[in-house]
Amino acid sequence: MPPQAMSENTMLLKPTLHVEVAVKRQPSSLLEVKTLRADLKQWFVDRHVTVKIGQDIIVDGDEQCLAIVDHVGVADYTGPLNLLGYYGTESVQIDLQTYVLRSETDTDGRRSIAQETDGGVPQARVLALPSVALKDEWDSLVFDDLLPSRLLRYMTRMVGMMRQPGLSLAAFNWNRLCLLHGPPGSGKSTLCRALAQKLSIRLGDAFPRATLIEINTNAMLSKYFGESGKLIGATFERIYAAAQDQGTLICVVMDEVETIAGSRERSTEGGECGDGLRATNQLLTALDRLRHLSNVIVLCTSNLIGAIDQAFLDRVDIKQLIPSPSPAAIYNIFRSCLNELLRSSLVSTTTVQVTARKTVTRGVSKDPRRTKIQAVSSSPEPWAVISAPEVPTFSEVQIELMDKPQSAGYRVWALAQRCEGFSGRTLRRLPILGLAMYTWGGESVTLDNAISALEAAVNQELTVAKAKGADTDMHDG
Ligand SMILES: Nc1ncnc2c1ncn2[C@@H]1O[C@H](COP(=O)(O)OP(=O)(O)OP(=O)(O)O)[C@@H](O)[C@H]1O
């Protein structure tokens, strides 16, 4: 086995800490990139004995490093579970990747976001990775288990193993095709894009360049009979051409894949015209052609896995259910929204007496709801002003529950338990919707006010859901 291949594979099997370093400029030659990574790795290990996942490493005070580095993050850990969450940098392998975030108009003059259109309809969005546009997607997702990290690990290994020199791809049925399915708004599309972004960083050694191609599956269905298959064929022909550069990782994302991979059996039974059937056939042929290119990964999403053609499902290597968030995940979604409102000063943690006095002086409103919020907020108990700078983490709140039953954390946790079944999309909307609907602008809104507004928004959403449920029961009856 060539030494390089050996070291790559051994690396994948050892407990590994993944460190991502955003640099101001990537060196032009591969040798310089390798030297930079080795230097940064040494710098990292020398200064940090133990680190935690999610930790941002402070570069302040190191002039030489500051000149090169924008951000250092301890991104992930691959290996046996460590309940403490701290890792000794000497006892694990460090996989340090450097990357430059690509903005919409990059300095190399190439637009990093482009639309592939046909007759004005965008058929695909092409994005150079890693992209500024996707920089927050990974961290915005909240799941109970380490689902995103697990998927990322599978895919990294999938690509790593397939690049083993001398390995005959024909011996395996391995398409590098992943399907995320589950209820609407559970984060499937966001996770696909976030995975593509992470893969472009994680696989930076093997692929100096990476591109995301998001296919607009709805635009693939033509109003002209027989055209859909041709549109799919032409789009995949372009992907095939782009993938000829083996140094470029190509991540293809297809949302609502059932649109073009619908069951052919169903469409024949339903007496549909042969266009859907041809579209599915064309897609299957195109995927079979891409199978031999180890630099292509295809990520798909669907809300209707039952409507997908069996031959397509048979080609999928990883089928992953993405469920609606659990109460613990809901707590963390609300927490991140409220903390963002605090961070941006739309909501404050400071005492409300100031607000109340201001309002009295201006003599603004006699609205009873507003008066109630002010009165409640300025009373010391049980709505005491939160001294913590932000809403506590989920594990902190579990401890807090024991002695502070009316704390911000407690109230948010109580709400989270009532919201089980809500989609991630709805959950991310409620805190800001509540603020818009149930608080007044032009003055400081406290965290307590924001949580009260969130409660009101949740109540409204539950009423709508209940009414919808009753309506469905009536129709079913
Ligand atoms: N588990 C989650 N954690 C945090 N945010 C979430 C989660 N799930 C969904 N969201 C948020 O909801 C919004 C919609 O997510 P997304 O479009 O990825 O869902 P989807 O499953 O692809 O939906 P659809 O099936 O309707 O296309 C995004 O803003 C996303 O950040």
Side-chain angles (χ1 to χ4, degrees):
M1 188 187 291
Q4 196 200 345
M6 168 80 107
S7 72
E8 270 181 19
N9 271 357
T10 318
M11 186 193 90
L12 290 168
L13 297 172
K14 273 192 184 167
T16 305
L17 197 66
H18 302 278
V19 180
E20 297 176 351
V21 183
V23 291
K24 295 187 196 309
R25 194 178 52 82
Q26 196 83 288
S28 48
S29 80
L30 195 60
L31 187 67
E32 283 175 288
V33 172
K34 284 193 168 161
T35 314
L36 173 66
R37 285 180 185 159
D39 289 350
L40 285 170
K41 196 152 115 181
Q42 198 55 53
W43 169 87
F44 178 78
V45 175
D46 287 349
R47 280 169 183 71
H48 303 91
V49 180
T50 53
V51 287
K52 204 177 159 198
I53 304 302
Q55 182 178 337
D56 288 335
I57 301 294
I58 310 290
V59 193
D60 280 8
D62 190 326
E63 289 303 318
Q64 212 187 348
C65 217
L66 270 174
I68 309 165
V69 169
D70 266 336
H71 177 257
V72 182
V74 183
D76 204 356
Y77 165 77
T78 314
L81 198 64
N82 169 344
L83 290 173
L84 290 174
Y86 282 93
Y87 300 94
T89 53
E90 291 288 356
S91 54
V92 293
Q93 174 123 1
I94 307 283
D95 166 39
L96 184 144
Q97 294 298 333
T98 54
Y99 65 94
V100 179
L101 279 180
R102 308 283 305 267
S103 60
E104 194 173 337
T105 42
D106 260 341
T107 41
D108 63 4
R110 207 156 58 88
R111 273 181 72 79
S112 67
I113 301 181
Q115 302 272 14
E116 302 224 323
T117 55
D118 185 72
V121 184
Q123 291 185 335
R125 183 171 83 132
V126 184
L127 196 63
L129 295 175
S131 168
V132 172
L134 304 179
K135 93 176 161 47
D136 298 320
E137 304 260 297
W138 182 266
D139 290 332
S140 76
L141 289 168
V142 184
F143 291 100
D144 280 338
D145 52 4
L146 300 169
L147 192 147
S149 297
R150 198 158 31 87
L151 283 175
L152 179 61
R153 176 161 55 88
Y154 294 163
M155 280 176 211
T156 313
R157 294 207 68 202
M158 198 151 95
V159 175
M161 289 190 297
M162 287 292 122
R163 286 176 71 82
Q164 178 73 18
L167 182 82
S168 165
L169 291 183
F172 303 94
N173 205 316
W174 201 229
N175 298 286
R176 294 169 309 284
L177 178 55
C178 172
L179 172 67
L180 306 185
H181 62 98
S186 55
K188 302 179 293 296
S189 320
T190 312
L191 183 52
C192 281
R193 290 191 296 268
L195 278 169
Q197 174 95 340
K198 282 282 176 185
L199 282 167
S200 72
I201 299 171
R202 189 74 52 95
L203 292 168
D205 266 345
F207 302 103
R209 295 167 295 286
T211 303
L212 168 69
I213 303 178
E214 281 186 280
I215 297 179
N216 180 356
T217 49
N218 284 306
M220 295 287 121
L221 290 186
S222 172
K223 59 184 176 199
Y224 302 110
F225 183 74
E227 283 295 302
S228 302
K230 281 189 201 154
L231 284 176
I232 293 171
T235 303
F236 275 88
E237 190 56 51
R238 287 200 282 272
I239 294 172
Y240 189 80
Q244 295 310 305
D245 171 10
Q246 286 292 313
T248 300
L249 175 72
I250 307 277
C251 297
V252 180
V253 170
M254 290 189 280
D255 251 335
E256 296 170 22
V257 73
E258 70 277 0
T259 316
I260 53 171
S263 160
R264 288 168 294 178
E265 206 180 325
R266 274 197 191 188
S267 47
T268 329
E269 276 170 12
E272 278 179 33
C273 63
D275 207 32
L277 198 137
R278 261 175 249 196
T280 307
N281 282 341
Q282 189 62 53
L283 177 66
L284 295 176
T285 311
L287 289 174
D288 285 344
R289 200 159 164 238
L290 288 182
R291 194 162 84 85
H292 304 287
L293 297 171
S294 60
N295 57 329
V296 181
I297 292 179
V298 185
L299 304 160
C300 314
T301 76
S302 177
N303 297 330
L304 298 166
I305 193 170
I308 299 179
D309 193 88
Q310 201 48 49
F312 178 88
L313 289 178
D314 201 35
R315 283 165 172 77
V316 174
D317 303 309
I318 302 172
K319 296 180 193 78
Q320 178 66 54
L321 170 71
I322 309 292
S324 291
S326 68
I330 296 172
Y331 177 87
N332 281 323
I333 293 175
F334 282 161
R335 174 179 184 263
S336 73
C337 292
L338 290 166
N339 284 343
E340 182 56 25
L341 294 172
L342 285 168
R343 198 195 56 76
S344 63
S345 304
L346 267 174
V347 167
S348 75
T349 50
T350 50
T351 107
V352 192
Q353 274 89 332
V354 178
T355 315
R357 219 178 296 134
K358 253 192 216 160
T359 320
V360 172
T361 340
R362 285 202 215 119
V364 191
S365 171
K366 295 275 183 287
D367 184 284
R369 186 180 53 195
R370 190 181 186 195
T371 316
K372 188 172 167 238
I373 289 179
Q374 284 161 6
V376 165
S377 307
S378 49
S379 71
E381 284 296 335
W383 301 63
V385 174
I386 305 294
S387 55
E390 54 175 37
V391 181
T393 61
F394 184 59
S395 43
E396 281 163 2
V397 85
Q398 283 175 317
I399 298 165
E400 205 175 61
L401 282 183
M402 296 175 204
D403 59 4
K404 285 191 194 161
Q406 284 302 331
S407 67
Y410 174 85
R411 295 179 64 203
V412 176
W413 172 232
L415 267 181
Q417 292 172 89
R418 294 176 60 212
C419 292
E420 200 165 1
F422 284 12
S423 75
R425 185 179 281 125
T426 302
L427 294 165
R428 280 221 174 272
R429 185 172 49 234
L430 291 176
I432 195 87
L433 183 75
L435 216 57
M437 288 175 77
Y438 302 105
T439 65
W440 301 87
E443 62 186 60
S444 166
V445 175
T446 66
L447 180 59
D448 274 339
N449 295 158
I451 298 172
S452 298
L454 174 60
E455 273 163 2
V458 166
N459 287 340
Q460 195 194 20
E461 192 67 33
L462 285 168
T463 312
V464 172
K466 212 167 148 191
K468 208 173 136 211
D471 205 27
T472 317
D473 287 349
M474 217 163 70
H475 280 94
D476 289 350

